[in-house]
Amino acid sequence: MAGAKEIRTQIKSIQNTQKITKAMEMVAASKMRKAQDRMRASRPYAEKMRNVVAHMGKAHPEYKHPYLIEREAKRVGLIVISTDRGLCGGLNINLFKSAISSMQEWRGQNLDIDLAVIGTKAMSFFKRLGGNVVSENSHLGDTPRVEELIGSVKVMLDAYNEGRIDRLYIANNVFVNTMTQNPAVEQLLPVVGDECDENLKHHWDYIYEPDAKSVMDGLLMRYIESLVYQGLVENIACEMAARMVAMKAASDNAGTLIDELQLVYNKARQAAITQELSEIVSGAAAV
Amino acid sequence: MAITFHVDIVSAEAEIFSGKASMVFAPAEMGEVGIAPRHTPLLTRLKAGEVRVQLEGKEEQFFYVSGGMLEIQPHVVTVLADTAMRAADIDEAAAQRVKARAEKAMSDKKSDFDYAKAQAELAEAVAQLRAIQHIRDKGGR
């Protein structure tokens, strides 16, 4: 049996770890609330944007925007949104798994893949795996702003405009609730139309000022950006929730470990005392 | 009661206004537009300026937008406000920046992204040490 002193040091070190995980749990819990608020705050914009784009899909403009036209795919783009930091359970790994299964499917159809990564975890993962990463963006913090994403999105949109990629997807975690976060891969381009609004079935069109092309360009660019932004804030909420759960599990595990070690320690202490006593008694008997 | 229509003003980071109005004025790119109920569908860009919303009573509310999009449907007006400063060359610079970062991270073998490799090496070293320890223990006794 190990000496009492070693067990005591081990208990001490586990207690220190437990303190850290507990603190991280509480930090994640408070950050999660803020992240969820932010997720909710940005939702109206994404919804309105989706409405407007859906309306536009129903209009009959003289100009057909390339983002609305399905074309034969040779190469696809994938935007992967991951976290910057670890210690959040299987969140990133699950996301990468689903991204990779999609990528394998595309490879099976002889499609090449360009990656745009957001977050250091995705960067290091795809660097190791060997993907064609065309843009990297990280350290956006807990309160990302839209202008920090413009670069990443523009790289992909430019590639689409120039015909280097023919489809664009986004992979991020979708927040269901604190306990559940689901990885999802969704298509951004070409824009998939929503269900039709009844009032808009007849033939009509907007007035465009100054002209259809520039208005649609601006609108669709913002549409894609808003979807990516929404994906990012949602991913942050997922990160915080996952970290909170993971750290709670770690603290609990540390607790049980300490209890077990405490028991072993008590036994060792007791054994040492008994031994000492019996030595004294037998010594006295010898005299 | 005056005829009203629904107005939504949203930006990417928050909802700014949602409610009924009898008249809306917005700084469209080709000049300020005033929107009354049952306006014909219109889609335009906004430039920086002031959006004025006339509520049902004659009360008015003002919002500043730095740009964005305006959609008009006969009974719904949507203002999608930008929060970011937008210009072609600023966007281009941002795109260049993320590209450069990707290239740097992919080529730079010693960057601090290399946790994964370092971790693998560490695990290997630990395994070796453990093996040595094992052999020593056996030999010692």
Side-chain angles (χ1 to χ4, degrees), chain B residues 58-70:
Chain B
K58 281 293 154 193
E59 196 187 334
E60 280 197 345
Q61 283 198 9
F62 302 88
F63 303 94
Y64 174 79
V65 293
S66 61
M69 306 292 299
L70 172 71

Side-chain angles (χ1 to χ4, degrees), chain A residues 38 41-42 44-45 48-49 51-52 55-56 120-121 123-124 126-128 130-131 133-139 144-148 150-152 154-155 158 164 200 204-210 214-216 218-219 221-222 225-226 229, chain B residues 8 10-15 28-31 33 39-45 67-69 71-73 78 80-86 88 91-92 94-103 105-109 111 113-117:
Chain A
R38 229 172 351 259
S42 67
Y45 184 81
K48 293 287 173 288
M49 202 53 140
N51 277 349
V52 173
H55 286 167
M56 207 175 71
T120 51
K121 288 286 159 190
M123 186 66 226
S124 60
F126 284 108
K127 188 181 167 188
R128 197 159 16 117
V133 180
V134 294
S135 83
E136 193 264 341
N137 203 344
S138 58
H139 302 291
R145 284 177 311 166
V146 178
E147 56 252 54
E148 293 167 319
I150 291 172
S152 294
K154 188 173 166 60
V155 168
D158 282 350
R164 274 182 282 128
L200 300 172
W204 65 283
D205 195 9
Y206 285 112
I207 302 171
Y208 298 95
E209 274 182 20
S214 64
V215 171
M216 280 188 174
L219 182 69
M221 192 172 74
R222 283 176 178 81
E225 278 166 9
S226 90
Y229 178 77
Chain B
D8 286 305
V10 289
S11 80
E13 283 150 27
E15 182 167 39
E29 204 175 42
M30 307 198 40
V33 288
H39 195 286
T40 184
L42 179 133
L43 202 58
T44 183
R45 279 192 305 225
M69 306 292 299
E71 192 224 17
I72 304 173
Q73 289 283 346
T78 313
L80 301 159
D82 281 345
T83 43
M85 293 289 285
R86 302 302 296 263
D91 287 12
E92 187 57 44
Q96 290 304 330
R97 214 157 40 230
V98 293
K99 269 190 201 166
R101 286 174 67 163
E103 276 156 27
M106 291 303 275
S107 62
D108 191 358
K109 287 280 180 280
S111 75
F113 293 117
D114 240 358
Y115 291 130
K117 201 176 160 212

